[in-house]
Amino acid sequence: MMADNQRIAVCPGSFDPVTLGHVDIIQRAAAVFDRVIVLVSINPTKEPMFSPEERVEMIKTVTKNLPNVEVEASGGLLADFVRSRGATAIVKGLRAVSDFEYEFQMALANKKLCPEAETIFLITRSENMYLSSSMVKQIAYFGGDISDFVPAEIKERIAARLTSLSADSITNEGVEN
Ligand code: PNS
């Protein structure tokens, strides 16, 4: 049974697929909050490569050593999910100034929709500044080594999927995340 006064954070994203940059943000959020719910959410501007179930499964695999981290998927508004779970924070990673405007807009919209939650940005580690799911997909597609970018437990799974895809599905992807 969870205590009523626990601090719950939601870590939302596309996670298509989860990268070492995401894992770092999740770990750091888990060190600050009592409970962290990683939420695989729909970004309407992106065509995902992995199904929500696959993404949830991969995140569960790479966070199994973090007892206060749970993973879910949702097809609705982030603000509604945050409220439904009694969370007080939305935690996101920020890599560069180029992320800022997009994140700033989402944070303001979420504040309007769910005033009881704060969006908190964790600045990425410098070694993950350039890292994105899209970059991982491109490197894997062209047969490059993604070992430095994704957790070892899911590396083969990602590489196997990407090498079997057409170039179109890569170039149509968004560049964020
Ligand atoms: O990893 P991403 O693609 O940058 O994450 C964006 C995401 C999925 C968190 C965002 O698109 C989102 O919250 N989608 C859920 C629907 C929603 O609430 N949209 C309004 C956000 S202001």
Short mmCIF file of all heavy atoms in Angstrom, two decimals, residues 120-164:
data_model
loop_
_atom_site.label_atom_id
_atom_site.label_comp_id
_atom_site.label_asym_id
_atom_site.label_seq_id
_atom_site.Cartn_x
_atom_site.Cartn_y
_atom_site.Cartn_z
N ILE A 120 8.98 19.80 -14.79
CA ILE A 120 10.35 19.96 -14.30
C ILE A 120 11.30 19.42 -15.36
O ILE A 120 11.15 18.29 -15.83
CB ILE A 120 10.54 19.19 -12.97
CG1 ILE A 120 9.62 19.81 -11.91
CG2 ILE A 120 12.00 19.19 -12.53
CD1 ILE A 120 9.63 19.08 -10.59
N PHE A 121 12.28 20.25 -15.74
CA PHE A 121 13.24 19.83 -16.76
C PHE A 121 14.56 19.44 -16.11
O PHE A 121 15.10 20.18 -15.30
CB PHE A 121 13.49 20.97 -17.76
CG PHE A 121 12.29 21.28 -18.61
CD1 PHE A 121 11.57 22.45 -18.41
CD2 PHE A 121 11.87 20.40 -19.58
CE1 PHE A 121 10.45 22.73 -19.17
CE2 PHE A 121 10.75 20.66 -20.36
CZ PHE A 121 10.04 21.84 -20.15
N LEU A 122 15.04 18.28 -16.49
CA LEU A 122 16.37 17.85 -16.08
C LEU A 122 17.28 18.05 -17.28
O LEU A 122 16.96 17.59 -18.39
CB LEU A 122 16.37 16.38 -15.65
CG LEU A 122 15.50 16.04 -14.44
CD1 LEU A 122 15.63 14.56 -14.09
CD2 LEU A 122 15.86 16.90 -13.22
N ILE A 123 18.38 18.75 -17.05
CA ILE A 123 19.31 18.99 -18.16
C ILE A 123 20.08 17.70 -18.44
O ILE A 123 20.61 17.07 -17.52
CB ILE A 123 20.30 20.12 -17.79
CG1 ILE A 123 19.54 21.42 -17.46
CG2 ILE A 123 21.32 20.34 -18.91
CD1 ILE A 123 18.71 21.98 -18.58
N THR A 124 20.11 17.34 -19.69
CA THR A 124 20.77 16.10 -20.08
C THR A 124 22.25 16.11 -19.72
O THR A 124 22.87 17.17 -19.60
CB THR A 124 20.62 15.88 -21.61
OG1 THR A 124 21.07 14.60 -21.94
CG2 THR A 124 21.41 16.90 -22.40
N ARG A 125 22.81 14.94 -19.53
CA ARG A 125 24.26 14.86 -19.39
C ARG A 125 24.90 15.27 -20.71
O ARG A 125 24.34 14.99 -21.78
CB ARG A 125 24.68 13.41 -19.11
CG ARG A 125 24.34 12.96 -17.73
CD ARG A 125 24.84 11.56 -17.47
NE ARG A 125 24.17 11.07 -16.28
CZ ARG A 125 24.51 11.43 -15.03
NH1 ARG A 125 25.51 12.25 -14.83
NH2 ARG A 125 23.84 10.98 -14.00
N SER A 126 26.10 15.86 -20.62
CA SER A 126 26.71 16.38 -21.85
C SER A 126 26.93 15.26 -22.88
O SER A 126 26.80 15.49 -24.08
CB SER A 126 28.02 17.10 -21.54
OG SER A 126 28.84 16.26 -20.78
N GLU A 127 27.20 14.05 -22.41
CA GLU A 127 27.45 12.96 -23.38
C GLU A 127 26.19 12.55 -24.14
O GLU A 127 26.27 11.85 -25.15
CB GLU A 127 28.12 11.75 -22.72
CG GLU A 127 27.33 11.11 -21.59
CD GLU A 127 27.73 11.63 -20.21
OE1 GLU A 127 28.02 12.83 -20.08
OE2 GLU A 127 27.73 10.81 -19.27
N ASN A 128 25.02 12.98 -23.66
CA ASN A 128 23.77 12.63 -24.35
C ASN A 128 23.15 13.81 -25.10
O ASN A 128 22.03 13.70 -25.61
CB ASN A 128 22.74 12.11 -23.33
CG ASN A 128 23.17 10.80 -22.70
OD1 ASN A 128 23.88 10.02 -23.32
ND2 ASN A 128 22.76 10.58 -21.47
N MET A 129 23.89 14.90 -25.19
CA MET A 129 23.38 16.11 -25.82
C MET A 129 22.85 15.88 -27.23
O MET A 129 21.86 16.46 -27.65
CB MET A 129 24.50 17.16 -25.94
CG MET A 129 24.73 17.98 -24.72
SD MET A 129 23.49 19.24 -24.49
CE MET A 129 23.95 20.43 -25.73
N TYR A 130 23.52 15.05 -27.96
CA TYR A 130 23.22 14.85 -29.38
C TYR A 130 22.30 13.65 -29.60
O TYR A 130 21.93 13.33 -30.73
CB TYR A 130 24.54 14.61 -30.14
CG TYR A 130 25.25 13.42 -29.58
CD1 TYR A 130 25.00 12.15 -30.08
CD2 TYR A 130 26.12 13.56 -28.49
CE1 TYR A 130 25.60 11.05 -29.51
CE2 TYR A 130 26.72 12.46 -27.91
CZ TYR A 130 26.45 11.21 -28.43
OH TYR A 130 27.02 10.12 -27.84
N LEU A 131 21.99 12.95 -28.53
CA LEU A 131 21.33 11.65 -28.66
C LEU A 131 19.82 11.79 -28.84
O LEU A 131 19.17 12.51 -28.09
CB LEU A 131 21.66 10.84 -27.39
CG LEU A 131 21.15 9.41 -27.26
CD1 LEU A 131 21.47 8.60 -28.50
CD2 LEU A 131 21.78 8.78 -26.02
N SER A 132 19.27 11.10 -29.82
CA SER A 132 17.82 11.11 -30.01
C SER A 132 17.40 9.73 -30.54
O SER A 132 18.21 9.00 -31.11
CB SER A 132 17.41 12.18 -31.03
OG SER A 132 17.87 11.82 -32.32
N SER A 133 16.13 9.40 -30.34
CA SER A 133 15.62 8.13 -30.86
C SER A 133 15.75 8.09 -32.38
O SER A 133 16.05 7.05 -32.97
CB SER A 133 14.15 7.94 -30.46
OG SER A 133 14.02 7.86 -29.07
N SER A 134 15.51 9.23 -33.02
CA SER A 134 15.60 9.28 -34.49
C SER A 134 17.02 8.98 -34.97
O SER A 134 17.21 8.25 -35.95
CB SER A 134 15.19 10.67 -35.00
OG SER A 134 13.85 10.89 -34.69
N MET A 135 18.01 9.52 -34.24
CA MET A 135 19.39 9.27 -34.62
C MET A 135 19.73 7.79 -34.45
O MET A 135 20.38 7.18 -35.31
CB MET A 135 20.31 10.13 -33.77
CG MET A 135 21.71 10.19 -34.30
SD MET A 135 22.83 10.77 -33.04
CE MET A 135 22.86 9.36 -31.96
N VAL A 136 19.25 7.22 -33.36
CA VAL A 136 19.48 5.78 -33.11
C VAL A 136 18.89 4.96 -34.26
O VAL A 136 19.52 4.03 -34.78
CB VAL A 136 18.85 5.36 -31.76
CG1 VAL A 136 18.75 3.84 -31.65
CG2 VAL A 136 19.64 5.94 -30.60
N LYS A 137 17.67 5.33 -34.68
CA LYS A 137 17.01 4.58 -35.76
C LYS A 137 17.80 4.68 -37.06
O LYS A 137 17.95 3.71 -37.79
CB LYS A 137 15.57 5.07 -35.94
CG LYS A 137 14.64 4.56 -34.85
CD LYS A 137 13.22 5.03 -35.02
CE LYS A 137 13.01 6.39 -34.45
NZ LYS A 137 11.59 6.75 -34.27
N GLN A 138 18.30 5.87 -37.35
CA GLN A 138 19.06 6.04 -38.59
C GLN A 138 20.35 5.24 -38.55
O GLN A 138 20.71 4.57 -39.53
CB GLN A 138 19.41 7.52 -38.81
CG GLN A 138 18.25 8.32 -39.31
CD GLN A 138 18.70 9.59 -40.04
OE1 GLN A 138 19.83 9.68 -40.51
NE2 GLN A 138 17.81 10.56 -40.11
N ILE A 139 21.06 5.30 -37.43
CA ILE A 139 22.33 4.58 -37.34
C ILE A 139 22.09 3.08 -37.47
O ILE A 139 22.79 2.37 -38.20
CB ILE A 139 23.06 4.93 -36.02
CG1 ILE A 139 23.49 6.40 -36.05
CG2 ILE A 139 24.28 4.02 -35.80
CD1 ILE A 139 24.04 6.92 -34.73
N ALA A 140 21.05 2.59 -36.78
CA ALA A 140 20.75 1.15 -36.84
C ALA A 140 20.33 0.75 -38.25
O ALA A 140 20.71 -0.31 -38.75
CB ALA A 140 19.65 0.80 -35.84
N TYR A 141 19.58 1.61 -38.89
CA TYR A 141 19.10 1.31 -40.23
C TYR A 141 20.26 1.10 -41.20
O TYR A 141 20.25 0.20 -42.04
CB TYR A 141 18.20 2.44 -40.74
CG TYR A 141 17.76 2.23 -42.16
CD1 TYR A 141 16.75 1.33 -42.46
CD2 TYR A 141 18.39 2.90 -43.20
CE1 TYR A 141 16.37 1.11 -43.77
CE2 TYR A 141 18.02 2.70 -44.50
CZ TYR A 141 17.01 1.80 -44.79
OH TYR A 141 16.64 1.59 -46.08
N PHE A 142 21.28 1.96 -41.04
CA PHE A 142 22.43 1.86 -41.95
C PHE A 142 23.50 0.90 -41.43
O PHE A 142 24.64 0.91 -41.90
CB PHE A 142 23.02 3.25 -42.21
CG PHE A 142 22.09 4.10 -43.06
CD1 PHE A 142 21.41 5.18 -42.51
CD2 PHE A 142 21.88 3.79 -44.40
CE1 PHE A 142 20.54 5.94 -43.29
CE2 PHE A 142 21.01 4.56 -45.18
CZ PHE A 142 20.35 5.64 -44.63
N GLY A 143 23.12 0.11 -40.44
CA GLY A 143 24.02 -0.95 -39.98
C GLY A 143 25.09 -0.50 -39.01
O GLY A 143 26.04 -1.24 -38.74
N GLY A 144 24.95 0.73 -38.48
CA GLY A 144 25.96 1.24 -37.52
C GLY A 144 25.78 0.62 -36.14
O GLY A 144 24.76 0.00 -35.84
N ASP A 145 26.79 0.85 -35.32
CA ASP A 145 26.79 0.29 -33.96
C ASP A 145 26.06 1.26 -33.02
O ASP A 145 26.47 2.41 -32.86
CB ASP A 145 28.24 0.11 -33.52
CG ASP A 145 28.35 -0.51 -32.15
OD1 ASP A 145 27.31 -0.91 -31.58
OD2 ASP A 145 29.49 -0.60 -31.64
N ILE A 146 24.99 0.78 -32.39
CA ILE A 146 24.21 1.64 -31.49
C ILE A 146 24.50 1.36 -30.01
O ILE A 146 23.79 1.84 -29.14
CB ILE A 146 22.68 1.53 -31.77
CG1 ILE A 146 22.20 0.08 -31.72
CG2 ILE A 146 22.33 2.17 -33.11
CD1 ILE A 146 20.67 -0.07 -31.77
N SER A 147 25.57 0.62 -29.76
CA SER A 147 25.89 0.22 -28.37
C SER A 147 26.02 1.39 -27.41
O SER A 147 25.69 1.25 -26.23
CB SER A 147 27.21 -0.55 -28.33
OG SER A 147 27.19 -1.59 -29.23
N ASP A 148 26.53 2.52 -27.89
CA ASP A 148 26.74 3.66 -26.99
C ASP A 148 25.46 4.47 -26.78
O ASP A 148 25.47 5.44 -26.02
CB ASP A 148 27.82 4.60 -27.55
CG ASP A 148 29.20 3.99 -27.42
OD1 ASP A 148 29.36 3.05 -26.62
OD2 ASP A 148 30.11 4.46 -28.13
N PHE A 149 24.38 4.10 -27.46
CA PHE A 149 23.19 4.95 -27.44
C PHE A 149 21.97 4.33 -26.79
O PHE A 149 21.05 5.04 -26.38
CB PHE A 149 22.82 5.37 -28.87
CG PHE A 149 23.98 5.86 -29.69
CD1 PHE A 149 24.23 5.36 -30.95
CD2 PHE A 149 24.83 6.83 -29.18
CE1 PHE A 149 25.31 5.81 -31.71
CE2 PHE A 149 25.91 7.29 -29.93
CZ PHE A 149 26.15 6.78 -31.18
N VAL A 150 21.92 3.02 -26.76
CA VAL A 150 20.75 2.33 -26.18
C VAL A 150 21.22 1.28 -25.17
O VAL A 150 22.34 0.79 -25.26
CB VAL A 150 19.87 1.65 -27.27
CG1 VAL A 150 19.32 2.67 -28.25
CG2 VAL A 150 20.63 0.56 -28.00
N PRO A 151 20.36 0.92 -24.20
CA PRO A 151 20.75 -0.09 -23.23
C PRO A 151 21.08 -1.43 -23.91
O PRO A 151 20.41 -1.81 -24.88
CB PRO A 151 19.51 -0.22 -22.32
CG PRO A 151 18.81 1.10 -22.46
CD PRO A 151 19.04 1.51 -23.89
N ALA A 152 22.08 -2.11 -23.38
CA ALA A 152 22.57 -3.36 -23.99
C ALA A 152 21.45 -4.40 -24.14
O ALA A 152 21.40 -5.12 -25.15
CB ALA A 152 23.71 -3.92 -23.16
N GLU A 153 20.53 -4.45 -23.16
CA GLU A 153 19.49 -5.48 -23.18
C GLU A 153 18.54 -5.37 -24.36
O GLU A 153 17.85 -6.34 -24.70
CB GLU A 153 18.62 -5.44 -21.91
CG GLU A 153 19.38 -5.43 -20.59
CD GLU A 153 19.56 -4.03 -20.07
OE1 GLU A 153 20.32 -3.26 -20.72
OE2 GLU A 153 18.98 -3.70 -19.04
N ILE A 154 18.43 -4.18 -24.95
CA ILE A 154 17.46 -4.03 -26.05
C ILE A 154 18.13 -3.71 -27.39
O ILE A 154 17.46 -3.50 -28.39
CB ILE A 154 16.39 -2.94 -25.72
CG1 ILE A 154 17.04 -1.59 -25.45
CG2 ILE A 154 15.52 -3.39 -24.56
CD1 ILE A 154 16.03 -0.45 -25.39
N LYS A 155 19.45 -3.70 -27.38
CA LYS A 155 20.19 -3.31 -28.59
C LYS A 155 19.87 -4.21 -29.80
O LYS A 155 19.57 -3.72 -30.89
CB LYS A 155 21.69 -3.38 -28.27
CG LYS A 155 22.59 -2.91 -29.37
CD LYS A 155 24.03 -3.14 -29.02
CE LYS A 155 24.59 -4.24 -29.87
NZ LYS A 155 26.02 -4.48 -29.71
N GLU A 156 19.91 -5.51 -29.58
CA GLU A 156 19.68 -6.43 -30.70
C GLU A 156 18.27 -6.30 -31.26
O GLU A 156 18.03 -6.36 -32.46
CB GLU A 156 19.92 -7.89 -30.27
CG GLU A 156 21.34 -8.19 -29.83
CD GLU A 156 22.37 -7.84 -30.90
OE1 GLU A 156 22.03 -7.84 -32.10
OE2 GLU A 156 23.53 -7.54 -30.51
N ARG A 157 17.33 -6.13 -30.34
CA ARG A 157 15.92 -6.01 -30.74
C ARG A 157 15.71 -4.78 -31.64
O ARG A 157 15.02 -4.86 -32.66
CB ARG A 157 15.10 -5.86 -29.45
CG ARG A 157 13.64 -5.82 -29.67
CD ARG A 157 12.93 -5.87 -28.34
NE ARG A 157 11.50 -5.81 -28.56
CZ ARG A 157 10.60 -5.99 -27.64
NH1 ARG A 157 10.97 -6.27 -26.41
NH2 ARG A 157 9.32 -5.91 -27.92
N ILE A 158 16.33 -3.68 -31.27
CA ILE A 158 16.20 -2.46 -32.07
C ILE A 158 16.89 -2.63 -33.41
O ILE A 158 16.33 -2.33 -34.47
CB ILE A 158 16.79 -1.25 -31.30
CG1 ILE A 158 15.99 -0.98 -30.03
CG2 ILE A 158 16.84 -0.02 -32.20
CD1 ILE A 158 16.64 -0.03 -29.07
N ALA A 159 18.11 -3.16 -33.37
CA ALA A 159 18.88 -3.33 -34.61
C ALA A 159 18.14 -4.26 -35.58
O ALA A 159 18.05 -3.97 -36.79
CB ALA A 159 20.27 -3.88 -34.29
N ALA A 160 17.58 -5.34 -35.06
CA ALA A 160 16.88 -6.31 -35.92
C ALA A 160 15.69 -5.66 -36.61
O ALA A 160 15.44 -5.86 -37.80
CB ALA A 160 16.43 -7.50 -35.09
N ARG A 161 14.93 -4.83 -35.88
CA ARG A 161 13.76 -4.19 -36.47
C ARG A 161 14.17 -3.19 -37.55
O ARG A 161 13.59 -3.12 -38.63
CB ARG A 161 12.97 -3.47 -35.38
CG ARG A 161 11.85 -2.57 -35.90
CD ARG A 161 10.73 -3.36 -36.55
NE ARG A 161 10.14 -4.25 -35.59
CZ ARG A 161 9.17 -3.89 -34.74
NH1 ARG A 161 8.67 -2.69 -34.81
NH2 ARG A 161 8.70 -4.74 -33.87
N LEU A 162 15.19 -2.41 -37.24
CA LEU A 162 15.55 -1.32 -38.15
C LEU A 162 16.16 -1.81 -39.46
O LEU A 162 15.91 -1.22 -40.51
CB LEU A 162 16.53 -0.36 -37.44
CG LEU A 162 15.88 0.83 -36.73
CD1 LEU A 162 15.22 1.75 -37.73
CD2 LEU A 162 14.88 0.43 -35.68
N THR A 163 16.95 -2.87 -39.37
CA THR A 163 17.58 -3.34 -40.59
C THR A 163 16.56 -3.94 -41.55
O THR A 163 16.83 -4.11 -42.73
CB THR A 163 18.70 -4.37 -40.30
OG1 THR A 163 18.20 -5.33 -39.37
CG2 THR A 163 19.94 -3.71 -39.73
N SER A 164 15.35 -4.24 -41.04
CA SER A 164 14.34 -4.84 -41.92
C SER A 164 13.36 -3.80 -42.48
O SER A 164 12.34 -4.14 -43.04
CB SER A 164 13.57 -5.91 -41.14
OG SER A 164 12.80 -5.30 -40.12
#
